[in-house]
Amino acid sequence: MTAVKKVAIAGAGVAGLAAAIQLAKAGVEVDVFESKPELSALGSGITLQGNALRVFDALGAWDDIREAGYAFVGLNLRAPGPDAPIVAQLPDVKSGGPDYPSTMGMPRPELARILLEHAQKAGAEVRFGSQITGLDARADDAVEVFVNDESAGEYDLLIGADGLNSTVRELMGIDIKPESTGMGIWRTFVSRPDDVKNSELYYGGPVYIAGYTPTGEDSMYAFLVEKAQDRFGVSDEEAARIMLDESRAYGGPWNSIRADLEAGAHANYTWFTKHLVEGAWNRGRAVIIGDAAHSCPPTIAQGAAQGLEDAFVLTELLTQRDAVDQQLWDDFHGRRLPRAKAVVEASVQLGQWQIDGNRDADTGGLIYGIAQHMAQPA
Ligand SMILES: Cc1cc2nc3c(=O)[nH]c(=O)nc-3n(C[C@H](O)[C@H](O)[C@H](O)COP(=O)(O)OP(=O)(O)OC[C@H]3O[C@@H](n4cnc5c(N)ncnc54)[C@H](O)[C@@H]3O)c2cc1C
C-alpha cells in the first residue's frame, strides 16, 4: 500500500530523479517532465559527501556511482604562495556512516546519466522537452498538471524538483526567491595532477576561495570564488584569461590547472545564491524539494546532498503510509526543514566570513560540526 499511485515530477535533476527511482521501485506510476531537450553531456564536477552516497545506496545506484567517481579522505586547507603550503588538514567525518567514503568527486554528466538510467530501469517515464507550465490543485485529492501549456492529466501528487528558479514554487504561490550572496564562482574541468588526492581549499590571496576536487583518475574540477560581478556573457578566451590571472597567486597544483587553461580548458561562471522556504513546502497535492525549496553557496558541498535527502525522506513517507494527510506533511517538514536550514545557514556563514575578511573565524570547526550533524540519519 502506498499513499500515491500516480505522481508527476518537474525536473530531471538529482532530486527529481532520486524521487522518481524510489517511487517507481515501489510500483507508483511516475512521469518526470524535464524542460531541457536532453541531459547535458557537458558540465563540471560535483563533490558528494557521505550522506549523499548513503542515499545513492538506498536508491540502488551506489555500485554505479562508486565506479564512476573518485573517493577520497579529508580536506586540506592551503595558503597562497609559490609552494602553496598546507596549513590544516581537517579531520575526516564519514557523514554517511562507516560503510561509505567520507567524500567523492565525480563529473556531473556521469551522475546525471546514472540516475536517469536507474529511473528508467525502475519504470519511470522521463519526458524531455516537457516544461511544466501550470497546475490546478483545487481538488483535495488530486492535482492537474499542465505541460507545454496543455493538460497532461490528473496526478495524486506533483513534486516540484525544478531547481533554483522553480516554476512549481511560483505556481504554488510561494514567493521566496534565491538571492545573491555576493560571491561569484569560476569553474573549470581539467586534468588531475598526481599530487591531488583530495579536495583542497585556499583561503587568502586575490580571491575569496580557490580550490579543486578530484573527480576521476584523470580529471578534477577547479574553482575560484570572487566578488559577484557582471561576468555573464564574457567570451571563452576572456573567461580563461580571468581564471589564469586570478589564480597566479597560487602555486602547487595550480601550475597544472593553468597549463590546461592555456591549452583551452573551458571556464564557466555563476553566482552563489541563498534561499530557504521556512514554511510548508507543500500546498495541497503539490510539493517542492531540492533547490526549489532551498539553496546555498557550495562552501560545504551539501546542496545536492540535501536535495537527495529531501527526495529520500518524501518518498519513504509516500511509500510507507497509506494516505497523503497532514501528519505526512508534518513528518516530512519535521525531518527536512531543520536539517536544510542548518546547511543553508552554515554555508552562507562560511561565505560571509570570507566577504568580511574575518581571518579569526573557526572555518574548520563549522565545516566539521555540520559534517557531524549530517552523519545523523536524515
Ligand atoms: C557553483 C555551484 C557548485 C555546486 N557544487 C556542489 C557540490 O560540490 N556538491 C553539492 O552537493 N552541491 C553542489 N551544488 C549544489 C547542487 O548543484 C544543487 O543543489 C543541485 O544540483 C540541485 O538539484 P535539483 O535536482 O534540486 O535541481 P537542478 O539540478 O537544478 O534540476 C532541476 C531541473 O528542472 C528542470 N526544470 C526547470 N524548470 C522546469 C519546468 N518548469 N518544467 C520541467 N523541468 C524544469 C531543469 O532543466 C533542471 O534539469 C553547487 C551549486 C553551484 C551553483
Side-chain angles (χ1 to χ4, degrees), residues 18-75:
I21 292 167
Q22 291 303 77
L23 291 172
K25 279 198 312 189
V28 175
E29 186 181 336
V30 180
D31 288 328
V32 180
F33 297 104
E34 167 56 53
S35 55
K36 282 189 221 138
E38 58 189 0
L39 280 193
S40 172
L42 301 172
S44 184
I46 187 162
T47 303
L48 298 161
Q49 310 290 359
N51 59 319
L53 306 181
R54 176 170 58 195
V55 176
F56 290 134
D57 202 7
L59 303 182
W62 172 226
D63 287 347
D64 292 337
I65 297 277
R66 181 170 40 198
E67 198 174 315
Y70 185 99
F72 56 85
V73 172
L75 169 68

Side-chain angles (χ1 to χ4, degrees), residues 10-16 33-36 45-48 108 130-133 161-168 185 187 221 270-272 289-292 296 298 301-305 307:
V14 283
F33 297 104
E34 167 56 53
S35 55
K36 282 189 221 138
I46 187 162
T47 303
L48 298 161
R108 282 184 182 256
S130 301
Q131 186 172 15
I132 302 268
T133 49
D162 51 346
L164 275 185
N165 302 306
S166 167
T167 302
V168 174
I185 183 169
R187 281 179 295 175
Y221 69 97
T270 192
W271 282 5
F272 287 173
I289 61 170
D291 274 15
C296 55
Q302 269 289 339

Side-chain angles (χ1 to χ4, degrees), residues 61-255:
W62 172 226
D63 287 347
D64 292 337
I65 297 277
R66 181 170 40 198
E67 198 174 315
Y70 185 99
F72 56 85
V73 172
L75 169 68
N76 296 339
L77 304 185
R78 292 205 195 212
D83 302 328
I86 293 177
V87 291
Q89 290 181 298
L90 297 194
D92 200 35
V93 179
K94 286 184 177 258
S95 62
D99 297 339
Y100 311 98
S102 60
T103 318
M104 175 172 263
M106 73 185 297
R108 282 184 182 256
E110 280 293 280
L111 174 60
R113 176 189 61 76
I114 291 168
L115 293 180
L116 176 64
E117 281 174 10
H118 277 268
Q120 289 173 327
K121 203 170 72 191
E125 189 74 40
V126 183
R127 299 166 199 257
F128 289 95
S130 301
Q131 186 172 15
I132 302 268
T133 49
L135 66 89
D136 183 345
R138 280 175 296 182
D140 285 343
D141 56 356
V143 53
E144 185 176 6
V145 174
F146 293 80
V147 175
N148 297 338
D149 294 322
E150 285 184 15
S151 175
E154 287 204 338
Y155 291 84
D156 298 333
L157 183 68
L158 167 64
I159 300 177
D162 51 346
L164 275 185
N165 302 306
S166 167
T167 302
V168 174
R169 183 180 67 221
E170 198 179 328
L171 291 168
M172 287 164 62
I174 299 174
D175 62 7
I176 292 162
K177 288 189 167 43
E179 53 183 275
S180 165
T181 66
M183 288 175 149
I185 183 169
W186 289 101
R187 281 179 295 175
T188 185
F189 197 69
V190 290
S191 55
R192 181 181 70 86
D194 282 345
D195 55 341
V196 171
K197 300 204 185 307
N198 59 2
S199 278
E200 300 193 305
L201 297 177
Y202 299 61
Y203 292 105
V207 294
Y208 292 131
I209 312 168
Y212 38 77
T213 294
T215 50
E217 283 307 317
D218 304 322
S219 67
M220 68 178 196
Y221 69 97
F223 52 89
L224 297 166
V225 180
E226 60 171 28
K227 186 176 183 320
Q229 48 199 293
D230 186 5
R231 303 279 212 178
F232 301 101
V234 304
S235 66
D236 286 355
E237 293 75 24
E238 177 69 356
R241 191 197 56 73
I242 294 168
M243 276 202 87
L244 283 167
D245 286 353
E246 290 190 346
S247 68
R248 295 227 189 267
Y250 311 103
W254 279 97
N255 294 316

